[in-house]
């Protein structure tokens, strides 16, 4: 997986990362958010609930992008919109989508080994030397996970992951 991570020194609490640029106009360091949904819920249901029921499995995963802009409600943007706005090419979007689906599968499969079901996850990508790379951590606060049909809050999720 292509990331900006190079190395870390846990004893000194330091990390080396590749320099990377955000996609979009970075507000507070964040320009574009990429969401992979494995199950229909949350804002997906608020938008499309007349077409699909909450909890419906989305075979293969559904990738969508939003601009990180609280004032505008984090507006959705399509691949074609990103290209038209000069944020990224369709080829870059395709690379980002493929990486999103691949990373989501790895995370979902790993969580499944401890009895957890990943419903959705958020990522931030950018580019380094013209190549699309993951530029943020994969953390419990960026995913919606269920255990036995009950949502797991991020603090408990972190504990479940760390104590396996």
């Amino acid at each position: 997986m292509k990331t900006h991570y190079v190395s870390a020194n846990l004893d000194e609490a330091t990390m080396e990362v590749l320099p990377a640029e955000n996609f979009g106009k970075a507000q507070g360091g964040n320009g574009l958010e990429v969401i992979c949904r494995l199950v229909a819920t949350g804002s997906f249901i608020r938008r499309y609930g007349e077409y699909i029921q909450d909890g419906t499995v989305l075979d293969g995963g559904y990738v969508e992008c939003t601009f990180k802009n609280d004032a505008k409600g984090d507006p959705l943007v399509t691949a074609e919109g990103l290209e038209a706005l000069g944020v990224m090419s369709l080829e870059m979007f395709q690379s980002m989508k493929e990486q999103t689906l691949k990373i989501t599968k790895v995370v979902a499969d790993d969580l499944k080994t401890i009895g957890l079901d990943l419903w959705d996850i958020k990522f931030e990508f950018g580019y380094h030397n013209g190549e699309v790379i993951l530029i943020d951590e994969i953390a419990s606060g960026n995913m919606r996970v269920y255990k036995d049909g009950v949502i797991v809050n991020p603090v408990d999720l972190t504990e479940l992951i760390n104590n396996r």
Side-chain angles (χ1 to χ4, degrees):
M1 291 177 217
K2 302 171 187 175
T3 76
H4 72 320
Y5 175 80
V6 176
S7 65
N9 183 325
L10 298 178
D11 294 331
E12 295 179 16
T14 60
M15 181 169 56
E16 180 184 354
V17 296
L18 297 172
E21 298 291 326
N22 286 333
F23 288 109
K25 295 184 186 273
Q27 297 179 1
N30 303 309
L32 191 67
E33 189 169 73
V34 183
I35 303 114
C36 187
R37 299 180 184 281
L38 301 176
V39 179
T41 197
S43 61
F44 187 84
I45 290 298
R46 286 192 295 280
R47 287 191 308 269
Y48 310 121
E50 62 196 63
Y51 296 98
I52 193 167
Q53 291 185 350
D54 191 26
T56 301
V57 173
L58 301 169
D59 291 327
Y62 173 82
V63 176
E64 62 185 11
C65 295
T66 64
F67 285 116
K68 293 193 78 164
N69 185 324
D70 291 340
K72 295 186 178 188
D74 296 337
L76 282 171
V77 61
T78 63
E80 293 82 4
L82 290 166
E83 182 181 49
L85 297 169
V87 173
M88 72 175 65
S89 68
L90 289 175
E91 293 80 17
M92 287 179 131
F93 178 86
Q94 190 59 38
S95 173
M96 185 175 69
K97 180 179 176 182
E98 288 170 8
Q99 290 180 63
T100 296
L101 291 168
K102 197 180 293 185
I103 296 166
T104 299
K105 180 171 179 7
V106 168
V107 172
D109 289 350
D110 187 55
L111 291 172
K112 188 69 90 183
T113 66
I114 56 173
L116 301 172
D117 297 309
L118 179 66
W119 281 36
D120 58 40
I121 189 167
K122 297 176 189 177
F123 301 106
E124 290 181 34
F125 286 87
Y127 56 96
H128 171 75
N129 291 336
E131 184 175 45
V132 178
I133 60 173
L134 182 68
I135 62 169
D136 197 13
E137 65 186 358
I138 299 172
S140 58
N142 295 339
M143 58 183 87
R144 191 181 331 239
V145 174
Y146 283 75
K147 181 175 180 68
D148 301 324
V150 177
I151 194 163
V152 179
N153 77 48
V155 173
D156 293 338
L157 178 57
T158 299
E159 191 172 311
L160 288 168
I161 292 168
N162 289 339
N163 293 330
R164 62 170 138 174

